[in-house]
Amino acid sequence: MARKKLVILGAGESGIGSAILGQKKGFDVFVSDSGTIKNKYKSVLYENGIRWEEKQHTEAEILSADLVMKSPGIPEKVPLVQKLMEKGVPVISEIEFAGRYTQAKTICITGSNGKTTTTLLIYDMMKRAGLNVGVAGNMGKSFAWQVAEEDFDLYVIELSSFQLDGMYEFRADVAILLNITPDHLDRYDYEMQNYVDSKFRILQNQRPEDYFIYCADDEVITSEIEKREIDAQMIPFSIKNKLAFGAGLKITN
């Protein structure tokens, strides 16, 4: 039986991590980057016998894929990605791909601002608590690379809207939405609602036993919540008010 073909578009940290995981899981892996691949990543590809190309995208090679992992920096609007989608080839993010191969719990953080700080703070808290925890997203070793080579019980993951756009089956055990302000609107047809919908993808597939932590001070978030049916347990936080439920701020003289 022929192996399924996994094509990686973009040979950055997430792309190389996905290539390592894909090979470990039995895929025929091909990595393609329209730019120049860093030498440190070329070495990894050579060492693992993974086929690759740089400074081009060979369409015939890419369009024969069974599955494509796309770098979050590549817009869905580019012609090659459109051709893949027209052919019915699934185009997913690294987080979606790696999530299929781990049973670890996940704490996922998104928002227009403060993602990295919050992610590192939670990771540090979990680490100091003695938990077997990894941190991933837009920092350090990619989620896919860690799933391939580590054995963490818990991951704290920073998620951009671009990563969320390529996630379909992935489920956050704890989803944290910090804030939503206009950002990257060129990727969303200059429609704020499209960007808001992207951020709220962090809630997809959540179950009643999961948690959704959100900023009650953010009017975009609170108004959007009113429109949606949310299955997870909702925990608001505020730095303006003391809340009856959730985390609030009480200032005393």
Side-chain angles (χ1 to χ4, degrees):
M1 184 176 172
R3 291 189 298 163
K4 286 193 172 183
K5 183 175 180 180
L6 170 66
V7 168
I8 311 289
L9 293 180
E13 178 68 24
S14 64
I16 301 303
S18 296
I20 297 297
L21 179 59
Q23 186 183 63
K24 186 174 181 179
K25 296 301 176 181
F27 284 91
D28 171 21
V29 181
F30 178 70
V31 176
S32 177
D33 197 307
S34 61
T36 302
I37 301 175
K38 291 181 180 178
N39 287 332
K40 66 175 182 177
Y41 291 141
K42 285 181 184 177
S43 297
V44 173
L45 294 169
Y46 277 127
E47 288 165 12
N48 288 275
I50 295 171
R51 296 187 305 120
W52 58 274
E53 66 177 358
E54 64 179 350
K55 300 180 182 177
Q56 63 180 342
H57 287 312
T58 304
E59 277 202 11
E61 184 84 58
I62 292 165
L63 294 176
S64 65
D66 295 294
L67 178 66
V68 171
M69 196 298 293
K70 175 180 74 67
S71 164
I74 302 173
E76 285 187 0
K77 298 172 186 175
V78 302
L80 181 57
V81 175
Q82 289 295 311
K83 287 180 183 179
L84 285 164
M85 295 171 77
E86 286 166 12
K87 276 197 72 179
V89 178
V91 180
I92 63 174
S93 71
E94 174 233 349
I95 306 294
E96 172 74 14
F97 182 59
R100 298 176 180 182
Y101 299 104
T102 179
Q103 297 300 311
K105 296 289 187 183
T106 56
I107 300 173
C108 299
I109 300 97
T110 196
S112 301
N113 301 287
K115 294 187 294 294
T116 302
T117 303
T118 306
T119 300
L120 291 173
L121 174 62
I122 294 172
Y123 169 68
D124 188 62
M125 291 165 64
M126 300 294 111
K127 189 83 172 170
R128 288 170 186 261
L131 298 177
N132 179 31
V133 58
V135 63
N138 297 317
M139 66 195 78
K141 203 171 185 180
S142 71
F143 183 38
W145 212 326
Q146 292 180 69
V147 169
E149 297 184 346
E150 311 280 356
D151 188 26
F152 292 118
D153 300 321
L154 169 70
Y155 288 96
V156 184
I157 306 173
E158 174 188 354
L159 293 176
S160 69
S161 56
F162 300 163
Q163 288 166 317
L164 288 163
D165 289 337
M167 289 161 53
Y168 303 95
E169 298 170 10
F170 181 88
R171 167 177 154 252
D173 294 283
V174 178
I176 302 174
L177 181 51
L178 300 173
N179 46 59
I180 302 178
T181 56
D183 199 11
H184 305 299
L185 293 187
D186 57 316
R187 282 278 288 259
Y188 296 100
D189 299 323
Y190 295 96
E191 290 285 345
M192 181 64 176
Q193 187 61 50
N194 293 341
Y195 177 60
V196 171
D197 290 341
S198 176
K199 287 299 187 190
F200 267 82
R201 286 175 72 90
I202 198 169
L203 300 183
Q204 65 188 2
N205 306 316
Q206 279 202 305
R207 303 169 184 168
E209 64 266 29
D210 299 326
Y211 294 91
F212 171 40
I213 300 171
Y214 67 95
C215 179
D217 302 332
D218 189 296
E219 292 181 5
V220 175
I221 293 174
T222 53
S223 64
E224 195 67 25
I225 285 171
E226 295 297 319
K227 306 176 192 174
R228 298 171 180 262
E229 287 187 18
I230 296 171
D231 293 326
Q233 300 175 59
M234 296 168 61
I235 303 177
F237 68 89
S238 172
I239 59 170
K240 294 181 179 178
N241 303 296
K242 181 181 178 183
L243 302 178
F245 175 75
L249 191 63
K250 182 180 180 183
I251 300 174
T252 57
N253 294 326

